[in-house]
Amino acid sequence: MADYETVKHLHQTLPAFAPAVPVSLLPSLASILLITTFGLAFYFTTLSKDTFPAREIGVALTASALGGLGVVALFCTVGVYV
């Protein structure tokens, strides 16, 4: 039982969780990321089709990453902490 008491003491003495991004910034962050995602998606659809699609892949990966982060920020904004 010494381990349980140690863990219990650590749990009671540790500081509360503080998020890296302030909760008040989440709505703005979600909006910026999702608007940028939609802008890149429009840009992706207007690109000329190259034989070597490096630029297309770069734009698609960037839009996908920003969209994923934007959706997570949006979920956290409405109270669904993922």
Side-chain angles (χ1 to χ4, degrees):
M1 286 308 249
D3 290 330
Y4 174 74
E5 293 300 326
T6 304
V7 171
K8 183 178 175 183
H9 179 265
L10 282 175
H11 179 72
Q12 292 173 345
T13 58
L14 288 175
F17 174 76
V21 177
V23 178
S24 62
L25 289 180
L26 287 176
S28 303
L29 183 64
S31 298
I32 290 168
L33 290 173
L34 291 175
I35 289 169
T36 305
T37 299
F38 291 126
L40 285 174
F42 175 75
Y43 176 70
F44 179 78
T45 59
T46 60
L47 283 176
S48 61
K49 304 303 176 216
D50 297 330
T51 56
F52 184 69
R55 187 171 54 168
E56 295 173 9
I57 292 172
V59 170
L61 288 175
T62 304
S64 178
L66 291 177
L69 292 173
V71 167
V72 168
L74 183 65
F75 280 177
C76 290
T77 298
V78 297
V80 181
Y81 296 104
V82 293

